[in-house]
Amino acid sequence: MNHLEHIRSRLAGAELDALIITSEPGEFYAVGMKGEGLVLVTREESCYFTDSRYIELAEQSIEHAVVTMATSDRPQLMLAGEALAARNLKRVGIEEQYLTVEAYWGMQRVFPVGTELVPASALLTELRGTKDAEELERMRRAQAITDRVFSEILNDLKPGVTERQIAARLTYLQMYYGAEKNSFDPIVASGANGSMPHAVPGDKSICQGEFVTMDFGCVCGGYCSDMTRTVAVGEPTEEMRQVYDAVLRAQLAGIARARAGIPGCEIHNAAWQVLREVGYGDYFGHGFGHGLGLEIHEKPNANLSNAERLPAGAVISAEPGVYLPGRFGVRIEDVLWLTNEGRVDLTQSPKKLIVL
């Protein structure tokens, strides 16, 4: 997974002499570490600067960059500035999407006079949007943990158990089965709380005859999983079944349309059209899907505003929902890997309505 070579190959086309990478996901993508370091990629070589906390690990694990230890007298930005000066590099890309104003000012103070700092987040965003075989395998492992956790959490969904307790159980099980951490704080929403797509788990107890929506994921090898399932605790009403069926058909329609080369908005609209035809179009307010990988939300997206064609190798979520204010909601989410021939669903959990 030598991503440094991929980055270097794009510099000339972006009219950059070098790229400075300072974000956590950017650093991990480039060198496989989250060590609060700084990566400098030029057209000829790569450098990695970090402090004494991470230097030993960096020297052991980073193969394609020169590793140098930063100190209080020669911090990372100073080392990067010295490297730019020694190589007479003037046009330097930065990750403006992540960079704080303070860090930007720090670069301006330390870097050689005449250095031009150029917004270049899009370069890394485009590269990260296509997963290679190793990245995909890490995402498969993360998704497998999430699937296993879903099968077990069904045993805990009972009247009287609180949303917060289910969220805690989801977190514990993901760690128990090998995850590094949650990819985001779990969403557990029961009954009327399900009408809020990003409801925060609280002390509300699950009641008989309610839907429970669970949206959760984990990180494995630095890469994220994500899934949502809505299940019924006790017998649902006929309306609840109708909404669930509509959401499932919408998801399947979006999945059927999803493939590399298709604009994100077309995938979204395939799902939205199903919901519109049965009168629920106005209750689906978010996008059909978002990209994920090193971050739980990254490009490319399959939403109404994205007319760009999705690249082969992209990994996106597939998560339409219907949210009836003050009553209940339904969301079903899988994770898809897009190919030129179609898509591969990384999520293996059943989607038929489960009634506990």
Side-chain angles (χ1 to χ4, degrees):
M1 195 166 65
N2 182 11
H3 291 153
L4 287 170
E5 194 62 40
H6 294 314
I7 297 169
R8 184 177 300 113
S9 69
R10 298 294 185 93
L11 294 180
E15 299 182 343
L16 296 174
D17 297 323
L19 177 66
I20 296 280
I21 302 172
T22 52
S23 71
E24 182 176 295
E27 179 189 351
F28 192 89
Y29 179 79
V31 298
M33 280 193 62
K34 295 181 179 178
E36 300 179 21
L38 182 152
V39 184
L40 171 64
V41 184
T42 76
R43 297 188 189 185
E44 288 76 34
E45 61 183 329
S46 300
C47 305
Y48 182 68
F49 308 112
T50 191
D51 60 38
S52 61
R53 297 171 297 170
Y54 304 101
I55 189 65
E56 185 175 1
L57 178 60
E59 290 174 339
Q60 292 175 355
S61 59
I62 297 176
E63 299 179 351
H64 304 287
V66 177
V67 177
T68 304
M69 186 171 77
T71 64
S72 58
D73 294 333
R74 297 177 71 212
Q76 295 173 12
L77 282 183
M78 181 177 292
L79 291 173
E82 292 173 359
L84 294 174
R87 295 160 177 80
N88 194 31
L89 304 177
K90 298 297 185 181
R91 188 171 167 83
V92 180
I94 57 173
E95 293 181 282
E96 80 284 355
Q97 181 180 350
Y98 300 92
L99 204 63
T100 65
V101 173
E102 181 181 14
Y104 178 79
W105 286 343
M107 290 179 180
Q108 288 187 315
R109 286 195 303 269
V110 174
F111 288 176
V113 175
T115 301
E116 181 184 2
L117 299 179
V118 182
S121 287
L123 187 153
L124 279 180
T125 296
E126 181 181 347
L127 287 172
R128 285 172 50 194
T130 298
K131 273 59 179 180
D132 61 28
E134 185 174 344
E135 291 176 294
L136 183 63
E137 179 56 30
R138 295 183 185 196
M139 298 191 74
R140 286 185 186 275
R141 294 204 304 268
Q143 203 64 41
I145 291 172
T146 305
D147 281 325
R148 184 172 185 178
V149 169
F150 174 70
S151 68
E152 291 207 16
I153 201 67
L154 297 177
N155 299 320
D156 298 295
L157 293 174
K158 301 174 183 178
V161 178
T162 69
E163 296 169 340
R164 199 189 309 274
Q165 288 172 328
I166 295 300
R169 181 70 172 160
L170 289 169
T171 298
Y172 167 76
L173 287 172
Q174 292 192 128
M175 302 304 103
Y176 183 81
Y177 288 122
E180 298 159 18
K181 60 181 180 179
N182 290 331
S183 49
F184 57 95
D185 291 336
I187 297 169
V188 180
S190 61
N193 288 342
S195 67
M196 296 178 284
H198 278 194
V200 177
D203 293 324
K204 180 191 175 302
S205 296
I206 296 170
C207 298
Q208 192 77 8
E210 288 186 334
F211 273 148
V212 180
T213 297
M214 297 171 292
D215 188 345
F216 59 103
C218 68
V219 175
C220 186
Y223 287 78
C224 297
S225 66
D226 192 4
M227 71 174 288
T228 306
R229 289 295 184 269
T230 301
V231 303
V233 177
E235 189 63 29
T237 65
E238 183 60 29
E239 182 187 25
M240 291 166 69
R241 287 183 177 274
Q242 289 175 355
V243 172
Y244 190 95
D245 177 69
V247 172
L248 179 56
R249 288 191 292 110
Q251 194 214 31
L252 294 175
I255 291 174
R257 186 63 179 140
R259 62 182 298 165
I262 299 296
C265 57
E266 289 190 18
I267 300 171
H268 172 92
N269 285 333
W272 177 79
Q273 186 70 18
V274 172
L275 296 176
R276 186 191 70 82
E277 289 175 355
V278 292
Y280 294 121
D282 291 340
Y283 300 98
F284 173 33
H286 56 73
F288 176 81
H290 57 83
L292 65 155
L294 286 170
E295 297 178 282
I296 193 59
H297 291 102
E298 59 183 47
K299 292 184 178 180
N301 294 307
N303 58 27
L304 186 61
S305 62
N306 184 25
E308 296 181 2
R309 298 180 185 276
L310 304 189
V315 176
I316 64 169
S317 66
E319 53 177 308
V322 166
Y323 311 95
L324 304 180
R327 300 179 62 204
F328 64 86
V330 173
R331 183 165 67 254
I332 306 169
E333 177 185 18
D334 290 7
V335 168
L336 312 176
W337 173 55
L338 304 186
T339 70
N340 290 320
E341 292 71 37
R343 85 297 307 161
V344 176
D345 197 329
L346 305 185
T347 309
Q348 300 300 308
S349 295
K351 290 187 280 193
K352 182 180 179 180
L353 177 59
I354 295 174
V355 179
L356 302 173

